[in-house]
Amino acid sequence: MKLQQATRYAIWAAVETASRPGELVSAGDLAAKFGVSQHHLAKVLRTLALAKIVSSTRGPAGGCMFIADPRRLTLYDIVSLFESDWWNSENGVREGKGTTVADEVSRVLREIDRITSATLRSVTIQTLINNAARRRRREAAEKAGAGPSAQAEALEAAAKAAGG
Amino acid sequence: MSILAKSQAAEIQIGPAALEDVPRVIEIDAKITGEAKAEFWYSFFSGQGSNPKRSFLVARDEGRVVGYIIGTVRAWEFGSPPSGWIHAVGVDPTARKAGVGTKLFNEMVEFLRGAGANTIRTMLHIDDHLLMSFFRTHGMAAGPFVELEMSAEQT
Ligand SMILES: CC(C)(COP(=O)(O)OP(=O)(O)OC[C@H]1O[C@@H](n2cnc3c(N)ncnc32)[C@H](O)[C@@H]1OP(=O)(O)O)[C@@H](O)C(=O)NCCC(=O)NCCS
């Protein structure tokens, strides 16, 4: 499954703002962090604001703040805002319908769609944040395999990275 | 709506199931799945005594059972090295969203790890998004095995 650029930006923006609760994050900040165009990102943020996932404030001190529940908002919720019929591989396909071969191929495609949908519906923004933190801790611990003081240092660095 | 506040979860005790807990586990499971499977629960309970690689845990709130979890370490089934299987987990609907499921899960992972598992595994219905979400929150994700099945009826 290939996500459109806007969908990817939206997921990144949701995860980044959700990991900074209560903070007004500027579009410029987000764009710089991910190395993407601020113009494209602003469009994405408007859609997220309409869906009440972030609140947005205009002006020089403006920015956006995550206002949804990160433990309930799933990837599915975000993806379906931007991709209208991704979950139905055969949407609009008419030819071949009713023939045994076409029906068998349809069955396989439905199997794939079902797995994709279940995966997106069960991954919450909080899960993405938690998994990223877990990975940082694991990597820090691996790097610091050398000794206890180096390990403490690496963990501290990971905690700092998680905060910022 | 949960009758347990998050802070109350601290009072929840996790421990091995006793024979007298089994009817309550059957009741909670039946509330969740709509089916009372007495034979299954009693047989898992009795098999557990003789098998150090199996565990049946319950969560108690002031002595009352509000949740359960069962797991086993199995080796070389499906060609897989020793891995810890979580067969079932359930929390009474009146005691949810207060951390009971998390406590049960963490205790079970500890047990399975101690019993030699390098991987923790479970299987669940593809449309059970709540349960899938719960397991994913704790770091689980799709692994390298896929379940395949077909109807056993003759065609
Ligand atoms: C899944 C289940 C065990 C969770 O128990 P619980 O005590 O409510 O879980 P917790 O309070 O520890 O929740 C842990 C995390 O799981 C996720 N979760 C729990 N309930 C959720 C819900 N309704 N929607 C989305 N995520 C949820 C959340 O991420 C939650 O973290 P949070 O409390 O920080 O939001 C419980 O809902 C249950 O028994 N469901 C039925 C299970 C079942 O079908 N069993 C039979 C087949 S094995």
Side-chain angles (χ1 to χ4, degrees), chain A residues 72 111 114-115 117-119 121-124 127 130-131 134, chain B residues 97 125-129 132-134 136-140 148:
Chain A
R72 298 291 172 266
E111 186 179 321
R114 198 170 181 204
I115 295 171
S117 162
T119 305
R121 283 179 201 269
S122 61
V123 177
T124 63
T127 291
N130 293 350
N131 285 349
R134 265 188 207 109
Chain B
K97 295 193 195 165
H125 196 278
I126 194 165
D127 295 329
D128 195 344
H129 304 137
M132 207 182 289
S133 214
F134 170 81
R136 284 188 185 278
T137 301
H138 295 296
M140 294 184 96
L148 296 178

Side-chain angles (χ1 to χ4, degrees), chain A residues 71-72 124 127, chain B residues 6 29 32-33 68 87-92 95-103 128 130-131 133-134 137-138:
Chain A
R71 296 187 160 87
R72 298 291 172 266
T124 63
T127 291
Chain B
K6 201 98 191 173
D29 173 44
I32 297 172
T33 64
Y68 58 82
H87 309 295
V89 57
V91 173
D92 190 303
R96 288 188 186 168
K97 295 193 195 165
V100 177
T102 297
K103 278 195 147 187
D128 195 344
L130 164 63
L131 196 55
S133 214
F134 170 81
T137 301
H138 295 296

Side-chain angles (χ1 to χ4, degrees), chain A residues 18-41:
Chain A
S19 49
R20 294 155 73 172
E23 205 181 308
L24 208 55
V25 185
S26 78
D29 237 29
L30 285 174
K33 169 140 195 174
F34 299 122
V36 303
S37 131
Q38 192 173 333
H39 173 73
H40 284 141
L41 195 64

